[in-house]
Amino acid sequence: MTAEDVIAVSVLEQRLFPVDAWPLQMFYDELSQPETRQYLVAESSTGIVGYAGLMCIEPIADVQTIAVVPEYEGRGIGTTLLTRLIEEARRRHAADLLLEVRADNPRAQQLYRRFGFEQIHVRPRYYRDGVDALIMRLQLTAAAGEGTGDATSTEAGQP
């Protein structure tokens, strides 16, 4: 993701997460911190169809956001974005990768579990509409073969 992508990403953010959408400036702020952040976009011939972001402050990395437009779900975009975030977290020497996912989003939860994430906590009424957040963790320092992220192509609509 570059600064030139931010307006298009923000439009998608408002569409996909109308209750919890990030303000436009937040994307610019995140991009201004490359030493601890990495943001990606997925593009098609029609423009940006997905995006994802990571914050990493050793030893913890956190999936800040991940989204795919509904018309492009089921094509492996969410899987690819999450794979790239995991790779980046490992490259930055994170021991754990954390994320929050809506308790009412089983599709996203299923994707994360396929990658080896496990639920470690619940944040009651975390989202503005009162839905709980499930806190999930992927241990990146697991023994070889554990939590490697072998997954199929189901996307997460909302983290």
Side-chain angles (χ1 to χ4, degrees), residues 46-112:
T46 62
I48 295 172
V49 296
Y51 56 94
L54 178 82
M55 175 179 69
C56 185
I57 301 172
E58 264 189 87
I60 303 294
D62 191 80
V63 174
Q64 298 290 83
T65 187
I66 185 166
V68 175
V69 297
E71 308 86 85
Y72 281 81
E73 289 180 357
R75 299 183 189 192
I77 296 167
T79 296
T80 299
L81 289 168
L82 185 56
T83 298
R84 296 273 308 275
L85 293 182
I86 292 168
E87 290 169 353
E88 183 67 14
R90 285 190 169 117
R91 189 185 72 74
R92 292 177 183 243
H93 309 290
D96 293 305
L97 178 57
L98 302 175
L99 59 81
E100 291 99 9
V101 61
R102 290 178 64 97
D104 64 356
N105 190 344
R107 186 175 189 154
Q109 293 167 38
Q110 182 180 36
L111 172 67
Y112 301 140

Side-chain angles (χ1 to χ4, degrees), residues 95-101 108-122 134-140 142 146-147:
D96 293 305
L97 178 57
L98 302 175
L99 59 81
E100 291 99 9
V101 61
Q109 293 167 38
Q110 182 180 36
L111 172 67
Y112 301 140
R113 284 190 186 97
R114 259 198 307 278
F115 272 82
F117 282 84
E118 61 183 354
Q119 182 183 331
I120 61 170
H121 188 62
V122 175
L134 307 181
I135 309 305
M136 299 184 81
R137 175 183 65 201
L138 175 64
Q139 293 181 301
L140 299 175
E146 292 180 24

